[in-house]
Amino acid sequence: MNTVHRWNVPNTPERKRVTLHDVAEHVGVSKSTVSLVLQNSDSVSATTREKVLRGIDETGYVYNRKAAALRQTVASDLIGVMVNGLNTPYSGEILNHCEKVALQRGVVPMFSSNAEQFAQQEKLVQIYMEYKVGGIILCPAPQTTASWLDKIWRSGFPLVQIMREVPFCQFPAVVADNRNGIYTATRHLIQLGHQKIAFLGGREDISDYHDRLTGYMDAMNEAGLRVPSGYIYPIANSRQAGRQALKTVLNYDHSISAVVCFSDEMAYGVLSVSRELGIKVGSDLAVVGFDDLTDSSITHPALTTIRVEASQFAHQAMDLLQVYMNKPQAKPERLIVPARLMVRESCGTPKHSTVSYI
């Protein structure tokens, strides 16, 4: 069952989209002068141009330069959906479900990726705003700040975070139950008899890394198991990273018998390099992933992983976004998509365990 958190946001001013008139009044020039600056006209002096551009930034005005191309489209029928990478399997699954949900509801999605780069995210969100989208679903890139999200929100563009959330902000979000998912996976390995368990993958500058690491540490600490620094290997998510991570932690301690991976993609890399190293997954090494990608049930051996339904991400994010598109002053909500352990072959059979939970 989804967990819903509601925040009370004090002193939140009424949101409205800033107009050309607002900018002109703020700067102390005519509307036509602002319009000429936006059109890059040579008839405006450099001093005035600089003053107008500064005023545009201060007021949060968004120039609708693409409107002519969209005369046949109602603005609220467009939404922007930005993930962290178009070439990542899990993001692809989410986009696939977002498209289905959007089209069922008569909404046209505009897909893009920030490629984990804030500058690219900023540029693409600006384009979304110029298209006057009805709202934005965003997987925030590293270095995204609460003040940047607030600027978008106050400019009149509803926004829902998906998969991740910016620390110390109170904006709508749909995230996985990351902590409990990894906690359950780590505890499963401990109950199978593993004591030397490594945590592989994830970037230290994104929220889900810290949530998942917390779940791993909580399970290890509750069982009274040591976690040497070399057991934790953060790295950007990819199959190649999974290969590198396993080699590194085994070089640190060759007696590590189990690994919890930040994602299935990382786990696929672990499975691959294990074969090359002559390590038999399921007996020599237990492996757990996170996401439950479509192919995870048919890997060799089949991957034990944490399932987080991509379809739920899509439905919940679309539901939340439409709430704020229809009721701009609604209180921000945070929805948590459940995480469930899927036990398969990659963890093997139970070992003798001297560890028990109190």
Side-chain angles (χ1 to χ4, degrees):
M1 187 172 182
N2 292 316
T3 303
V4 180
H5 298 272
R6 290 183 172 82
W7 291 299
N8 291 320
V9 183
N11 301 321
T12 301
E14 184 179 353
R15 296 187 298 119
K16 70 182 186 70
R17 296 192 180 179
V18 181
T19 66
L20 204 67
H21 176 78
D22 295 328
V23 177
E25 189 174 71
H26 178 77
V27 177
V29 298
S30 67
K31 286 175 58 178
S32 60
T33 299
V34 177
S35 181
L36 288 171
V37 170
L38 292 171
Q39 295 171 42
N40 295 316
S41 172
D42 294 333
S43 62
V44 181
S45 70
T47 301
T48 301
R49 180 185 304 278
E50 182 180 347
K51 186 165 67 169
V52 169
L53 290 175
R54 186 167 60 250
I56 288 171
D57 183 63
E58 290 170 351
T59 59
Y61 176 72
V62 180
Y63 179 38
N64 188 11
R65 71 178 78 242
K66 302 293 194 309
L70 296 170
R71 283 175 184 154
Q72 302 304 314
T73 305
V74 178
S76 61
D77 288 345
L78 288 172
I79 62 167
V81 182
M82 188 185 302
V83 292
N84 58 318
L86 295 176
N87 61 341
T88 60
Y90 195 68
S91 292
E93 289 188 14
I94 288 178
L95 290 179
N96 180 50
H97 288 290
C98 279
E99 181 178 59
K100 291 178 180 178
V101 176
L103 295 179
Q104 287 172 357
R105 300 182 182 185
V107 177
V108 180
M110 301 171 63
F111 294 141
S112 66
S113 160
N114 56 37
E116 305 287 23
Q117 301 294 320
F118 176 74
Q120 180 166 318
Q121 172 179 287
E122 189 174 36
K123 179 179 180 180
L124 290 170
V125 166
Q126 180 67 27
I127 292 172
Y128 281 158
M129 293 165 72
E130 290 175 359
Y131 270 98
K132 297 297 181 185
V133 295
I136 301 169
I137 294 173
L138 173 71
C139 176
Q143 282 79 60
T144 304
T145 63
S147 61
W148 184 78
L149 294 180
D150 186 62
K151 183 177 179 180
I152 297 169
W153 190 267
R154 289 171 183 267
S155 295
F157 293 89
L159 182 146
V160 173
Q161 301 171 94
I162 190 171
M163 293 192 281
R164 304 172 185 163
E165 54 193 329
V166 174
F168 312 115
C169 77
Q170 294 184 343
F171 294 94
V174 181
V175 294
D177 196 355
N178 290 297
R179 183 267 174 195
N180 287 334
I182 291 294
Y183 173 86
T184 301
T186 307
R187 179 163 176 158
H188 174 69
L189 291 171
I190 294 169
Q191 290 173 335
L192 290 176
H194 297 280
Q195 298 186 32
K196 295 188 174 183
I197 305 169
F199 181 81
L200 310 183
R203 293 180 52 144
E204 294 177 291
D205 51 4
I206 57 176
S207 64
D208 45 1
Y209 168 79
H210 294 283
D211 293 339
R212 295 179 196 184
L213 180 61
T214 297
Y216 162 79
M217 291 298 300
D218 286 349
M220 295 292 280
N221 290 336
E222 286 178 18
L225 297 176
R226 289 182 60 248
V227 182
S229 59
Y231 279 28
I232 300 172
Y233 191 82
I235 188 172
N237 188 52
S238 72
R239 296 190 187 203
Q240 186 59 40
R243 294 170 58 85
Q244 176 182 332
L246 182 65
K247 289 180 180 179
T248 302
V249 297
L250 289 181
N251 283 337
Y252 178 84
D253 184 349
H254 69 276
S255 63
I256 287 173
S257 65
V259 293
V260 178
C261 297
F262 180 82
S263 68
D264 284 7
E265 222 183 337
M266 289 286 298
Y268 292 167
V270 168
L271 297 180
S272 170
V273 76
S274 294
R275 288 191 292 271
E276 295 176 13
L277 297 175
I279 298 171
K280 188 174 181 180
V281 173
S283 56
D284 301 331
L285 180 72
V287 181
V288 179
F290 195 104
D291 289 332
D292 196 21
L293 298 174
T294 303
D295 290 343
S296 294
S297 63
I298 58 173
T299 56
H300 182 70
L303 182 65
T304 295
T305 185
I306 299 297
R307 174 178 290 178
V308 180
E309 298 285 356
S311 61
Q312 288 196 40
F313 264 123
H315 279 88
Q316 296 292 346
M318 286 293 301
D319 286 346
L320 268 190
L321 186 61
Q322 291 198 317
V323 166
Y324 303 113
M325 287 170 63
N326 295 326
K327 298 178 181 179
Q329 298 307 311
K331 296 297 182 183
E333 294 184 7
R334 181 177 185 266
L335 303 182
I336 299 178
V337 179
R340 181 160 60 99
L341 179 66
M342 307 299 295
V343 178
R344 300 191 180 111
E345 300 167 356
S346 65
C347 287
T349 56
K351 300 175 181 292
H352 175 68
S353 177
T354 58
V355 175
S356 62
Y357 280 84
I358 298 174

